[in-house]
Amino acid sequence: MKKLTLGKSGPVIPSIAIGCMRIADMEESALISHISFCMEHGLNYFDHADIYGGGECETLFGKAWKKTGCRREDMIFQSKCGIVPGTMYDLSAEHIFRSVENILKRLDTDYLDVLLLHRPDALMEPEEVAKAFDRLEQSGKVRYFGVSNQRPSQIELLKKYVRQNLLVDQLQFSIPFSNMVAAGMEVNMLTDGAADRDGGILDYCHLNDITIQAWSPFQSGSKKGIFIGDNENYPELNQTLRDLSEKYRATPTAIASAWIFRHPAGIQMIAGTTKTNRLEEIIRGSEITLTREEWYRLYLAAGHMLP
């Protein structure tokens, strides 16, 4: 499997991270098997958030991983904080620190490998974030830091105060939901794709050695649901996926995954599935290197344009 370096100073990681948002309804035995399968296939990066399942996802994972026989030092635990569901966003020092304390208890671990700020907080005081990061790093409770769903100017504001390198920005990204590609292609045009909705985050992360983690990699974006198999809304895209599936002897899911891995920014995919066969398809996608022509065929088939 393709390997990446997390940001400019982090550990070597797999190109696929395991999203844990959907594990709340899993039986413990199934979750133990899921974690074991991931570890056996080199998928040792597990992505959490304190709001997933109201904290239940982390609690269940914390009980299950201990029963797999895996060593903690062989696993990478990432979690996110800052959302108070239905109420507000809170990136105050006290909220960040308290959130991490609770995350560690639920995951039954002494430290997080990576902590991300889940969403931008309009009332964020960057000095407060810096205070929290310093305290967490010095206490050994968090090793690396990053953000989620943030634009370059927000990251730059944090960097003015935070001593630690920000290694990650987790962003929604798929073949149809790829405005951060389109905005860079349709420069100075009056087209929908030309709208700069993220401040040039793709180039910014590439330039600053920040790893983009792609969440919802198979979601349509503006149209609800998964685009793979949605022949009503994405007939040309699905036909192209099928054509390339035949060439590479892989599934459409594998080809859609390969499209993300092909980008030179070195994007890590968040795979939220709990199904073994789907993970095998995504792993297969990490082994496929699409040609430039094939990558653009998929991009155009999703409804994007070339000026």
Side-chain angles (χ1 to χ4, degrees), residues 215-283:
W215 60 270
S216 290
F218 308 118
Q219 289 289 327
S220 303
S222 58
K223 300 181 178 69
K224 294 182 179 180
I226 295 173
F227 63 84
I228 299 173
D230 182 359
N231 293 298
E232 179 179 352
N233 292 305
Y234 295 99
E236 186 179 351
L237 176 56
N238 276 282
Q239 184 58 57
T240 306
L241 287 169
R242 288 191 292 270
D243 291 345
L244 293 175
S245 294
E246 292 181 11
K247 173 184 174 180
Y248 288 101
R249 298 183 180 180
T251 64
T253 295
I255 301 302
S257 302
W259 186 87
I260 291 176
F261 297 131
R262 177 65 174 81
H263 196 280
I267 297 172
Q268 184 186 41
M269 177 191 289
I270 305 292
T273 184
T274 59
K275 297 179 180 179
T276 298
N277 64 328
R278 181 61 61 84
L279 279 177
E280 289 173 336
E281 293 173 3
I282 297 170
I283 292 170

Side-chain angles (χ1 to χ4, degrees), residues 176-188:
F177 194 91
S178 52
N179 179 258
M180 59 184 178
V181 172
M185 302 281 289
E186 299 172 43
V187 176
N188 197 35

Side-chain angles (χ1 to χ4, degrees), residues 87-147:
T87 305
M88 61 182 178
Y89 297 154
D90 188 349
L91 294 181
S92 65
E94 183 55 36
H95 182 82
I96 293 171
F97 194 79
R98 185 171 64 250
S99 297
V100 171
E101 288 284 321
N102 291 330
I103 289 168
L104 295 178
K105 289 177 184 177
R106 290 192 293 266
L107 289 177
D108 197 5
T109 184
D110 295 328
Y111 66 94
L112 276 179
D113 296 279
V114 187
L115 174 69
L116 306 184
L117 305 179
H118 205 160
R119 285 278 179 181
D121 173 12
L123 301 181
M124 179 192 75
E125 300 172 70
E127 302 94 332
E128 286 276 298
V129 176
K131 184 192 305 182
F133 281 11
D134 283 346
R135 185 178 174 187
L136 291 168
E137 183 181 54
Q138 290 163 11
S139 64
K141 292 179 179 178
V142 178
R143 295 184 171 179
Y144 304 103
F145 299 86
V147 299

Side-chain angles (χ1 to χ4, degrees), residues 132-168:
F133 281 11
D134 283 346
R135 185 178 174 187
L136 291 168
E137 183 181 54
Q138 290 163 11
S139 64
K141 292 179 179 178
V142 178
R143 295 184 171 179
Y144 304 103
F145 299 86
V147 299
S148 179
N149 305 298
Q150 293 207 14
R151 60 193 293 121
S153 58
Q154 293 166 327
I155 297 173
E156 283 295 311
L157 177 60
L158 279 171
K159 286 168 65 175
K160 180 179 178 181
Y161 296 89
V162 170
R163 293 187 306 103
Q164 297 79 9
N165 289 326
L166 299 176
L167 305 184
V168 175

Side-chain angles (χ1 to χ4, degrees), residues 29-43 46 61 64-65 67-70 75:
S29 59
L31 182 53
I32 291 170
S33 297
H34 177 60
I35 296 170
S36 297
F37 173 88
C38 292
M39 292 297 292
E40 289 166 5
H41 289 79
L43 305 175
F46 297 91
F61 189 92
W65 81 263
K67 298 181 181 180
T68 64
C70 297
M75 309 174 81

